[in-house]
Amino acid sequence: MNRLDVVRALGIAAPPRPEGTGYGQVVPEDFELLVAAVPEGAFAGAVLLERPAELPVRSLDAFTRATASRVEDMARALLGRERGPPLPLHPEPGGMVPWGRTSTDGVPLWDTTAPDPADWTTVVTDKDFQSWIDLPFSAPGGLPGRDA
């Protein structure tokens, strides 16, 4: 399986892989390619992707600006229960970064502890931030370390 198999299986035309344009430098490349490939709305009826202002993403701070209030709400809800997330939240170093929202109002976040975005994995939490699930891939469009 390669990074665009999920997109192709859904019958969505996969965009060409741009070379030398900075894709994958700030956030995982498979996410950027997925955003470019799928129209606005929920991906596979289950995940609403964060839509960066431009591709490729040039700044993690700019990418997270739209989700900053969601991260603050998450931190506040966890502190209110005297709990914390399994990893710090962005903008803390290595902090988790939300990249979408599930159809049940859960939040998929990247675990950014690896220095290379290609090695980031996903942590998904439910709408109440009670359960946290680690997934071995960065975005729904691919698996880290697999070539197209």
Side-chain angles (χ1 to χ4, degrees), residues 9-133:
L10 293 171
I12 299 168
R17 185 180 193 165
E19 296 296 329
T21 57
Y23 279 71
Q25 300 299 307
V26 177
V27 299
E29 178 187 36
D30 61 340
F31 174 81
E32 292 174 308
L33 294 174
L34 185 65
V35 168
V38 299
E40 291 277 335
F43 170 71
V47 177
L48 185 63
L49 301 172
E50 283 302 320
R51 296 277 172 181
E54 67 176 305
L55 291 173
V57 175
R58 302 282 183 204
S59 159
L60 193 56
D61 288 332
F63 179 79
T64 59
R65 203 167 288 132
T67 60
S69 63
R70 180 77 165 139
V71 170
E72 289 171 11
D73 291 346
M74 186 182 305
R76 200 173 13 262
L78 290 167
L79 284 174
R81 287 185 241 134
E82 297 182 1
R83 294 188 61 198
L87 296 167
L89 297 168
H90 183 79
E92 296 294 319
M96 294 186 292
V97 172
W99 56 261
R101 189 176 71 237
T102 71
S103 60
T104 57
D105 220 18
V107 183
L109 306 106
W110 285 306
D111 170 353
T112 68
T113 53
D116 185 346
D119 296 327
W120 292 357
T121 58
T122 293
V123 177
V124 179
T125 186
D126 61 352
K127 69 178 183 175
D128 297 321
F129 319 120
Q130 295 288 324
S131 63
W132 300 81
I133 302 167

